[in-house]
Amino acid sequence: MKKLCIVNSENKAVTDVLEQYGYVCIPTQKSECVSEPIALHADVLYLKAENNKIFISSCQNNNISLLKQLGYNIEMINLNPGYKTECLLNMIITENNVICNPKTCMDLSLLQSTKEIIEVKQGYTRCSTIALNSDNFITEDEGIYSELSKKGKNCLLIEKGYVILDGYDYGFIGGASVYLKENNTLLFSGNISVHPDFERIKVFCKNINVTTAYIENMELTDIGGVVFI
């Protein structure tokens, strides 16, 4: 069976590399429901949850037929531009936890999940964090780092501000990376080697048997991550 992922397909360098890893890239649809710089970002427009359920911004209709064919139970969520109204789907769901800001995410009862909720103050939770698995994380956000550490998670805090996102002063590390579970590889959309914490990231990943890879000929860029389906 083909490996499918939903991704901002404007940057061909990224989709080319994903295809080399064996993925078929399904493009996001440019959306007016969120701020223009993130209008193609999968990590704000889609949330894959438990029990074959997927939440989608109501502005995204290009992939509905495909997702239904794949057997997904789809629930549309209304997003609007602005911090508190475009972060509704921007949470992390792991094997054991739901990590989110309850004040900016959608109604958690919609998840119908029994997983432990870890509350954070950052609305762009998924954007700010790399979730390698249910116990290992990399984040730029001090609050997320603090809350995950309190829960006994293995978490690396890195400096923020070294990721490009046109329209903003900087982007997020979570949106500039994707963990390819089948390949046990953390792939960065751009040259992470110039990041001041690159060596710490490599060591952190090596200690949990994860390989780091990156696209050398582009600056580290927040493309909105990848949603695997």
Side-chain angles (χ1 to χ4, degrees):
M1 184 176 178
K2 291 182 179 179
K3 297 184 290 186
L4 306 177
C5 66
I6 300 174
V7 61
N8 169 3
S9 298
E10 279 199 336
N11 194 309
K12 195 171 185 298
V14 175
T15 54
D16 283 350
V17 171
L18 287 170
E19 288 169 0
Q20 289 171 18
Y21 277 98
Y23 291 91
V24 175
C25 296
I26 311 300
T28 53
Q29 179 180 356
K30 192 162 188 178
S31 173
E32 294 182 356
C33 296
V34 296
S35 301
E36 198 280 332
I38 59 173
L40 287 162
H41 284 204
D43 56 14
V44 295
L45 298 170
Y46 292 81
L47 175 66
K48 185 179 175 184
E50 302 170 69
N51 303 317
N52 235 31
K53 193 167 190 176
I54 189 163
F55 296 89
I56 308 176
S57 165
S58 56
C59 292
Q60 296 286 300
N61 53 38
N62 61 325
N63 293 323
I64 290 177
S65 294
L66 171 62
L67 291 169
K68 285 183 176 179
Q69 289 173 21
L70 293 172
Y72 280 100
N73 176 16
I74 298 170
E75 185 152 351
M76 309 302 287
I77 299 293
N78 292 323
L79 306 182
N80 289 288
Y83 174 64
K84 292 186 177 181
T85 50
E86 66 188 12
C87 294
L88 275 65
L89 304 179
N90 203 251
M91 63 182 79
I92 298 168
I93 300 176
T94 71
E95 182 180 349
N96 302 318
N97 301 104
V98 176
I99 308 166
C100 63
N101 180 344
K103 294 181 180 180
T104 60
C105 71
M106 68 181 190
D107 183 352
L108 291 174
S109 67
L110 295 173
L111 290 176
Q112 297 180 326
S113 175
T114 58
K115 295 180 180 182
E116 180 186 7
I117 296 171
I118 300 177
E119 296 187 9
V120 299
K121 294 182 179 179
Q122 171 61 264
Y124 295 108
T125 308
R126 187 154 44 129
C127 295
S128 305
T129 309
I130 300 170
L132 294 164
N133 51 43
S134 60
D135 295 309
N136 296 283
F137 302 85
I138 300 171
T139 185
E140 309 160 309
D141 188 272
E142 292 183 6
I144 292 175
Y145 172 79
S146 176
E147 293 304 320
L148 292 178
S149 298
K150 287 177 185 176
K151 294 294 184 179
K153 306 298 184 183
N154 182 29
C155 193
L156 176 67
L157 178 65
I158 63 172
E159 286 190 52
K160 65 176 67 173
Y162 296 88
V163 179
I164 289 176
L165 177 55
D166 289 341
Y168 293 117
D169 292 339
Y170 54 85
F172 293 107
I173 196 67
S177 61
V178 53
Y179 177 52
L180 305 174
K181 184 177 180 180
E182 293 85 352
N183 305 90
N184 217 27
T185 297
L186 178 58
L187 173 66
F188 290 92
S189 52
N191 192 350
I192 187 69
S193 71
V194 300
H195 193 288
D197 288 313
F198 175 55
E199 292 301 323
R200 293 177 65 232
I201 292 169
K202 279 204 305 182
V203 170
F204 182 87
C205 289
K206 184 178 180 180
N207 287 341
I208 56 173
N209 298 314
V210 172
T211 301
T212 52
Y214 58 91
I215 302 171
E216 294 186 25
N217 58 348
M218 69 178 281
E219 293 182 276
L220 187 61
T221 305
D222 184 346
I223 64 159
V226 172
V227 174
F228 296 103
I229 56 174

